[in-house]
Amino acid sequence: MSYDENNIFAKILRGEIPNDTVYEDDAVLAFNDIAPQAPVHVLVIPKGPYVSLDDFTRDAPAEEVGRFFKTVGEIARSLGLDGGGFRTIANTGADGGQEVPHFHVHICGGRRLGRMIAKA
Ligand code: AMP
């Protein structure tokens, strides 16, 4: 799947759509999910044009991948989630239920989240 420059997170990165920023550096943006599923629900995205975890881990340099996931952990700690715990989710493709085709990791926490996957 090729990268769609008009996906909503690409528009956020270009400043065309507002976001509630939690963290930003030269490679990563994190912002609050518009429809939170938990008391804390933050999305972390690389600034590069990656569709999903699939092409990100295949095509991005290992240093960029490592730095991205280190940043995910740093953001979770900065949100105070490391004590009680939290969940990270990277939905990938149709079976994964991915809606926005720009790679993102959900960080959810602030309550007991229950089972990993609800029965369909
Ligand atoms: P996924 O199903 O993994 O692709 O998740 C996409 C997420 O993006 C959902 O949790 C949406 O609520 C969230 N979302 C969609 N549009 C926006 C937006 N403009 N700002 C923040 N979050 C958004």
Side-chain angles (χ1 to χ4, degrees):
M1 184 183 185
S2 61
Y3 185 78
D4 173 12
E5 295 285 351
N6 286 318
N7 80 75
I8 199 151
F9 294 170
K11 291 179 179 176
I12 284 175
L13 285 170
R14 289 195 297 268
E16 295 167 11
I17 290 177
N19 74 94
D20 185 9
T21 300
V22 168
Y23 172 87
E24 182 168 19
D25 64 26
D26 60 317
V28 174
L29 177 68
F31 49 95
N32 284 310
D33 196 292
I34 203 166
Q37 304 294 309
V40 176
H41 187 168
V42 168
L43 302 172
V44 188
I45 69 174
K47 291 189 171 178
Y50 300 103
V51 176
S52 72
L53 183 141
D54 183 22
D55 62 322
F56 182 62
T57 56
R58 185 187 60 216
D59 300 338
E63 185 181 331
E64 186 177 344
V65 174
R67 188 173 152 203
F68 177 82
F69 282 102
K70 281 187 76 71
T71 304
V72 170
E74 286 164 8
I75 292 168
R77 286 187 290 280
S78 77
L79 294 167
L81 297 176
D82 46 324
F86 57 94
R87 181 173 293 161
T88 50
I89 304 167
N91 296 321
T92 302
D95 280 1
Q98 183 177 5
E99 292 176 1
V100 178
H102 180 111
F103 174 46
H104 52 282
V105 169
H106 299 251
I107 302 175
C108 298
R111 66 168 169 83
R112 293 290 171 101
L113 295 171
R115 290 176 60 83
M116 184 173 69
I117 298 173
K119 289 181 182 167

